[in-house]
Amino acid sequence: MQAAEVPRAVAAAMSTASSLDLAVDDAIVLHDSNKLTLRLLPCDVLARVAPVAHQVAKFEVELAQRLAESESPVAALEPRVEPRVYERDGFVVTLWTYYEPATPREVSPADYANALERLHADMRKLDVPTPHFTDRVEQAQQLVASRDRTPALADADRELLGNTLRSLRRVIGERGGAEQLLHGEPHPGNLLTTKNGLLFIDLETCCRGPVEFDLAHAPEEVSEHYPGVNQGLLRECRILVLAMITTWRWDRGDQYPNGRRLGTEWLSQIRVALDRKGLDTHG
């Protein structure tokens, strides 16, 4: 979120919670990206705040409610207030349960895989309209193609990312494997270690696709404990996901910490991965 918007976003979250009879006199910023994540005190509520145009919040709230009914490993909405999206001062605010981190915080690959498998099993039971994973690839392709939005991206790197995204999107699509509702970005940053067990957060990235697309966001060891993985497809998904997150780092509006340095490192990793797998991205 733009620095100038943060004080207003914090104020919107605090006033929203106060209007719902939650005791609020302080807010701690836990995470700041495309949305602001806050811990409101002393009511101990997690607030997520985004510009009002970020209407995916409604989808996230509805999906979280449906998954909670199946006791899926997802973070719950705040039970003391109505589970919906609140609008205030140009922002949308959603209120969630705050979970104290459990000790130790390290997650074993087997436990990680088990939680993701449970989430996928419950998601297979839901019939909700969601984007396809290729829609998200298309967004990355559009970013690569726009010199205005990625002015610092060198021509050779632009070509590499464009070719990789286009080729792997096609190759993965041609496999024609089973697809289902996915989390979309179940990386370690979206997995909480709590006294209630492992819980996934940030459901706004949900999409449809093969489970290997989700597994590509998790540490490599996790896939060793997930049943029925197509290893060839997973390798392709890993490179595709790497190309996507590398592309985001070159967006001139990207605010990810050390984003440009990571983007440079990941470009090198893409070249190594393509060479190791013998993949031709010019087709």
Side-chain angles (χ1 to χ4, degrees), residues 135-156:
D135 295 335
R136 300 186 58 204
V137 180
E138 172 64 24
Q139 293 172 4
Q141 289 179 279
Q142 292 176 2
L143 190 58
V144 168
S146 173
R147 293 182 183 275
D148 288 341
R149 296 172 63 192
T150 54
L153 188 59
D155 287 347

Side-chain angles (χ1 to χ4, degrees), residues 9-253:
V10 171
M14 294 180 69
S15 58
T16 295
S18 294
S19 71
L20 297 169
D21 296 325
L22 295 172
V24 184
D25 55 33
D26 193 17
I28 301 171
V29 176
L30 300 180
H31 187 66
D32 181 9
S33 57
N34 61 322
K35 67 172 64 64
L36 197 65
T37 303
L38 308 166
R39 182 184 182 185
L40 304 180
L41 296 169
C43 62
D44 223 10
V45 170
L46 189 87
R48 303 183 74 193
V49 194
V52 72
H54 205 72
Q55 288 302 333
V56 73
K58 185 174 184 294
F59 166 77
E60 184 178 23
V61 166
E62 293 175 350
L63 186 57
Q65 287 179 274
R66 295 185 63 177
L67 288 170
E69 294 171 358
S70 303
E71 298 185 352
S72 295
V74 295
L77 291 153
E78 169 52 49
R80 288 171 286 179
V81 300
E82 184 182 352
R84 67 178 182 85
V85 177
Y86 298 87
E87 292 191 18
R88 186 176 294 261
D89 192 26
F91 295 95
V92 291
V93 180
T94 53
L95 302 174
W96 304 78
T97 298
Y98 175 77
Y99 296 92
E100 284 284 355
T103 303
R105 298 190 185 188
E106 293 79 10
V107 179
S108 74
D111 289 342
Y112 199 134
N114 178 260
L116 188 56
E117 185 184 2
R118 287 171 52 210
L119 178 63
H120 284 161
D122 290 332
M123 283 183 156
R124 278 194 292 274
K125 303 172 186 176
L126 301 181
D127 182 16
V128 293
T130 54
H132 195 259
F133 83 96
T134 53
D135 295 335
R136 300 186 58 204
V137 180
E138 172 64 24
Q139 293 172 4
Q141 289 179 279
Q142 292 176 2
L143 190 58
V144 168
S146 173
R147 293 182 183 275
D148 288 341
R149 296 172 63 192
T150 54
L153 188 59
D155 287 347
D157 297 332
R158 189 182 304 278
E159 182 179 12
L160 172 70
L161 288 173
N163 289 341
T164 302
L165 291 166
R166 181 180 63 256
S167 176
L168 288 176
R169 173 182 175 179
R170 174 180 55 79
V171 168
I172 293 170
E174 289 175 350
R175 281 184 174 271
E179 296 187 345
Q180 67 157 83
L181 182 63
L182 304 173
H183 180 285
E185 289 187 359
H187 54 67
N190 281 336
L191 184 64
L192 302 180
T193 306
T194 77
K195 295 177 181 178
N196 301 68
L198 298 179
L199 301 175
F200 288 98
I201 61 172
D202 204 354
L203 298 172
E204 69 174 23
T205 55
C206 284
C207 57
R208 294 196 67 81
V211 295
E212 285 82 1
F213 182 79
D214 260 4
L215 283 165
H217 291 80
E220 290 192 19
E221 298 81 3
V222 172
S223 64
E224 298 172 6
H225 300 272
Y226 193 105
V229 176
N230 182 319
Q231 293 299 330
L233 176 56
L234 178 58
R235 286 192 293 270
E236 293 161 355
C237 285
R238 286 197 186 282
I239 301 174
L240 177 64
V241 167
L242 183 58
M244 291 171 66
I245 63 174
T246 301
T247 299
W248 309 142
R249 302 292 74 83
W250 291 94
D251 186 338
R252 67 181 181 185

